[in-house]
Amino acid sequence: MTTIALITGANRGIGLATARQLGAHGWTVLLGARDAARGREAERALRAEGTDARFVPLDVTDGASVAAAAELVEREHGHLDVLVNNAGIVRADGSALPSETTLGTLREVFETNVFGVVAVTNAFLPLLHKAPAARIVNVSSEVGSIAVMTDPQGALFELTSVPYPSSKAALNMVTAMYAKELRDTPIKVNAANPGYCATDFNNHSGFRTAEEGAEVSVHLATLSADGPSGLLWGYQMDAGGGYGTLPW
């Protein structure tokens, strides 16, 4: 049975790099993207490299789009081995101080980074249960770790923005709860911290590459049967680099 992976927000950045790396395993990679032109462009690029890549129209904030994507995958593949919830946005108001945060911005960020993950995961869970041992990877961030963000000696202590960090903190809890629900199944659920990667997401200001960030998701997507579930795992900036488990 062909291994099928769906990646949301797969038309660029870490999502595209993740698709490329999973495709190198010989998997069929489904490129979830809300922009059809960019999704098709990513599909063409990966196919030219030899990857079995297929664009799937998917806007994680649109319930009808999510349902249609799940129906398409069920019809064409009958199961799903890996779901990488990679789609995300970052927004801030003013100088990004908590006191300047507007509820509109907060709602917009949570709509994609939290609510969209729950909607997509629930829509695809029946197909994930049909796989021998599925994996769910939620692309989170160390800025969602309360322990990291409140450490006066940590590199991120000066960051005060509310919308993006709080959405990733919520996503971390979402990950932990799904891992608890699915603990008696072969499905493993983990959150990935790609680190600060240079992508369109941050005007290419990061110090890690999209390919390095994708390595984290790929590792969690390819965990063996004795691998962990319910962790925030990835790049450890405060530990001097390298990969490992981060505190919630």
Side-chain angles (χ1 to χ4, degrees), residues 137-192:
V137 180
N138 295 329
V139 179
S140 187
S141 171
E142 60 199 335
V143 303
S145 166
I146 294 176
V148 168
M149 293 289 280
T150 56
D151 178 4
Q153 306 304 316
L156 296 172
F157 185 69
E158 296 303 319
L159 181 61
T160 58
S161 179
V162 168
Y164 185 74
S166 65
S167 75
K168 292 304 184 179
L171 179 59
N172 289 344
M173 181 61 79
V174 167
T175 302
M177 294 301 102
Y178 274 102
K180 283 174 62 177
E181 177 183 351
L182 298 169
R183 64 185 179 274
D184 294 325
T185 77
I187 300 176
K188 297 184 184 299
V189 190
N190 289 288

Side-chain angles (χ1 to χ4, degrees), residues 89-104:
I89 63 171
V90 60
R91 300 283 189 275
D93 298 296
S95 57
L97 291 172
S99 58
E100 297 176 1
T101 301
T102 65
L103 293 183

Side-chain angles (χ1 to χ4, degrees), residues 3-7 18 22 27 79-85 120-121 124-125 127-139 175 178-179 182-191 216-230:
T3 301
I4 310 294
L6 170 67
I7 304 158
T18 301
L22 290 179
W27 295 9
H79 76 286
L80 184 64
D81 295 280
V82 170
L83 171 62
V84 181
N85 285 307
V120 170
T121 301
F124 283 92
L125 260 180
L127 293 176
L128 291 161
H129 278 295
K130 292 182 179 181
R135 304 286 180 260
I136 300 173
V137 180
N138 295 329
V139 179
T175 302
Y178 274 102
L182 298 169
R183 64 185 179 274
D184 294 325
T185 77
I187 300 176
K188 297 184 184 299
V189 190
N190 289 288
V216 178
S217 293
V218 171
H219 172 78
L220 295 174
T222 57
L223 286 173
S224 61
D226 60 353
S229 187

